[in-house]
Amino acid sequence: MTTIKQIRENSPIILNVSNMVTPQHVADAINFIGASPIMFDDIKEASDLVNISNALVINMGSSNDADVEKSIAAGKFANQKGIPVVIDPVAIGASKLRQDNFAKVAKEVKFDGVRGNAGELAFLADIEWNAQGIDAGNGDGDLHEIAETVAKKFDCITLLSGVTDVISDGSKTVEVKNGHHYFAVNVGCGDMLDGILGSCLAVDNSLDSAVLASSILSIAGEIAGGITDNLPYSFLSTVFNTLYQLTDEEITEFQKLG
Amino acid sequence: MTTIKQIRENSPIILNVSNMVTPQHVADAINFIGASPIMFDDIKEASDLVNISNALVINMGSSNDADVEKSIAAGKFANQKGIPVVIDPVAIGASKLRQDNFAKVAKEVKFDGVRGNAGELAFLADIEWNAQGIDAGNGDGDLHEIAETVAKKFDCITLLSGVTDVISDGSKTVEVKNGHHYFAVNVGCGDMLDGILGSCLAVDNSLDSAVLASSILSIAGEIAGGITDNLPYSFLSTVFNTLYQLTDEEITEFQKLG
Amino acid sequence: MTTIKQIRENSPIILNVSNMVTPQHVADAINFIGASPIMFDDIKEASDLVNISNALVINMGSSNDADVEKSIAAGKFANQKGIPVVIDPVAIGASKLRQDNFAKVAKEVKFDGVRGNAGELAFLADIEWNAQGIDAGNGDGDLHEIAETVAKKFDCITLLSGVTDVISDGSKTVEVKNGHHYFAVNVGCGDMLDGILGSCLAVDNSLDSAVLASSILSIAGEIAGGITDNLPYSFLSTVFNTLYQLTDEEITEFQKLG
């Protein structure tokens, strides 16, 4: 069972192929929970950087050819070394290019974790979702089916994030019912969760560890929301403040699993 | 007449060719007023992304060849589809490359809005400005002439931002006299205004809508400045907090037009 | 002797080859102390931008080929013009690519300032450091030797930042003992120091000026830490607030040299 204490003691190094919008938030999130972020921007150092890293996180929010090549190179090295690979299929439904790029990476790299929202993971699961509206309420059953289908398809752990997070390894599925609606207002909170998931899987590559990742950010948001009522941007600063100090005891106290 | 309520109800999707420094602020500004940002980094998805978008915002702060090509491709698709295109000629006076890049885009793409400071728009208007000193006080007449000249030259709406914002469609010119001097201290506030302008024009492509864009950010700054006296960086956090909650009633109450 | 008052009066323009993670923080840090940041992303404008700039800051955190070429082009123009060049060999020990890229730039460009942490500068000084552990306590003598060796090797000023900053020109070495442990929690504070060092050297290219750069950020952190106890992320916002208002009198009052 992974704990946030273990992350701080091990301080795993998390290698990131980041998008161009939110890398500062992602690097800070990784740093604030006690892991260490590295970003890279040249395929030629993929091998050296994977060599010193404990997990790889691929964010496909900026999907140009160089990013895809970097992701494949680093992903293959990570697979060989046996460190976890997390991927985020950002807005995969929005363009054929994103679908092609994801397919290229998926063909060459084995994922340990896939993190996305309901719409993104529904796309990967080939389940109609957009037709129903991403923002509209949907039965929990749908979310479970989506998370489980993606987990089985890629033989990995899925973290479907939303009002309730749904985490699945294809056979067992857990809900984390913590969170705050201000996460959706701040751009990049999903990307931060990618980094936190990578940090947790680096310590222990398991479903429990992904549940911890979801719990860490969701509970930090719940605590922050109680402090920064009506201040949606200050909310995120308070999430970071909270991430740094969050204890396993607080996680146990606040965690609402389902 | 556009309202901030309409932006929140319609939640237009704003496609951005952003610079490399401020994309997080720009995406957050768009999100906090109730629109939805997308960034893209590969020309191959220009068509797909324009197809789901309601406005295109081109920031020329990082002007490499790939950005210019992306801007032209997305701009032409946006023109065909009939959605507004906003451009920001960042620091166009600083290098021949920036002038060449702007000319390349302007040759192929019809703009609906041009947003810049006095120096940038004076350059486009071919009016001597730097000689007089950008920071020195200048007659309002100059600013009107600059905004009107650019509006006529590109047959578009101009938003000249500064201590007083000057908005023109070439025949009618409006001043928004709200604002706060801490905007100039924080890097990226002009870029945020580009995104807000795109969001307003997406709902209604009109001079009034550009006046609303200017008013939204200027008034949020005025309110934030009253809360965060002597805290110039916290000022921007408070601007974001305020953007999320700003009402049309507050805009009517605070707005100082000229 | 440089003062923060002089920086505000002269408002030097600082040209940056930045990494992809922290450019917003770097640009803000330069702006908040009263200098003016420009970033560039295309080698074709190197000459024009150096022409209007008063210092060049090269951050090698994202080391792809285009960045290296830009750095060399701008660095050579800066050397010709006689403006200071600051370089940050980010994580140079982490990959052969980073070492090759640094060597390429160092071969063509004369540096006036090198800023890094103990591990990075030890690598440049060819002194065993990682073996001893970067985070473990180490004798001050080691840090002095590292800073002096790098200063002599590149005939420049070295700013080795850490719990205590060590600044050397190879013959004289000064310690700045101010600071706060929350700097290490926030990603990009070293990059901010690069920009502040460039701003100080732009006004006066001297050891005293580098000591001022170190003092400005360290003392802002010390003041901020006193205000934001137990809020490590809010700490950085308070550092920015403080940078804007910091006076030479406060620097004299707080400065702990060794």
Side-chain angles (χ1 to χ4, degrees), chain A residues 24 31 45 48 241 245, chain C residues 95-96 98 185 230 233-234:
Chain A
Q24 177 78 53
N31 222 35
E45 64 178 348
D48 278 356
N241 286 332
Q245 334 227 13
Chain C
S95 76
K96 176 136 191 327
R98 288 174 193 239
V185 185
N230 286 325
Y233 192 81
S234 304

Side-chain angles (χ1 to χ4, degrees), chain C residues 21 23 32 42 45 49 66 73 131 139 159 171 182 191 217 222 232 238 243 249:
Chain C
V21 182
F32 272 69
D42 190 323
E45 63 178 346
L49 293 188
L159 201 174
S171 57
Y182 283 163
D191 305 334
L217 190 59
E222 207 163 292
T238 310
L243 283 177
E249 289 69 30

Side-chain angles (χ1 to χ4, degrees), chain A residues 20-22 25 61-65 67 94-98 181-182 184-188 230-234, chain B residues 18-20 23-25 27-28 31-32 37-42 44-45 48-49 52 236-237 240-241 244-245:
Chain A
M20 57 168 295
V21 182
T22 65
H25 280 355
S62 71
S63 35
N64 63 34
D65 292 341
D67 287 319
S95 77
K96 176 138 193 326
L97 176 70
R98 289 174 192 240
H181 63 281
Y182 283 162
V185 185
N186 288 277
V187 173
N230 286 325
L231 300 169
Y233 192 80
S234 304
Chain B
S18 63
N19 65 37
M20 56 167 298
Q24 177 78 53
H25 280 355
D28 276 328
N31 221 35
F32 272 70
I38 318 181
M39 268 71 177
F40 82 117
D41 202 29
D42 190 322
K44 292 193 287 294
E45 65 179 345
D48 278 356
L49 294 187
I52 57 170
L236 190 59
S237 298
F240 279 112
N241 287 332
Y244 185 73
Q245 333 226 14

Side-chain angles (χ1 to χ4, degrees), chain C residues 64-207:
Chain C
N64 63 34
D65 292 340
D67 288 317
V68 171
E69 284 167 27
K70 270 191 303 180
S71 299
I72 292 173
K76 288 168 89 167
F77 284 123
N79 285 167
Q80 284 167 25
K81 186 182 171 188
I83 60 171
V85 176
V86 169
I87 195 157
D88 181 344
V90 181
I92 190 168
S95 76
K96 176 136 191 327
L97 177 71
R98 288 174 193 239
Q99 294 147 29
D100 292 346
N101 285 345
F102 184 87
K104 281 181 194 168
V105 179
K107 194 184 164 193
E108 305 274 353
V109 179
K110 165 81 180 66
F111 309 136
D112 299 86
V114 176
R115 208 288 312 164
N117 62 32
E120 291 156 350
L121 298 192
F123 190 94
L124 290 183
D126 210 9
I127 292 174
E128 282 295 326
W129 178 266
N130 286 318
Q132 306 170 45
I134 284 180
D135 297 322
N138 283 279
D140 283 349
D142 290 339
L143 298 178
H144 281 227
E145 189 192 344
I146 291 167
E148 286 162 14
T149 304
V150 174
K152 284 177 191 157
K153 183 169 177 181
F154 296 103
D155 185 23
C156 72
I157 295 162
T158 315
L159 201 174
L160 186 164
S161 60
V163 175
T164 292
D165 286 1
V166 179
I167 302 101
S168 179
D169 62 7
S171 57
K172 188 176 171 195
T173 300
V174 178
E175 291 182 359
V176 173
K177 294 164 180 283
N178 301 89
H180 197 276
H181 63 280
Y182 283 163
F183 276 125
V185 185
N186 288 277
V187 174
C189 294
D191 305 334
M192 290 163 57
L193 184 52
D194 301 341
I196 294 171
L197 178 59
S199 306
C200 289
L201 296 185
V203 173
D204 177 35
N205 193 344
S206 70
L207 183 70

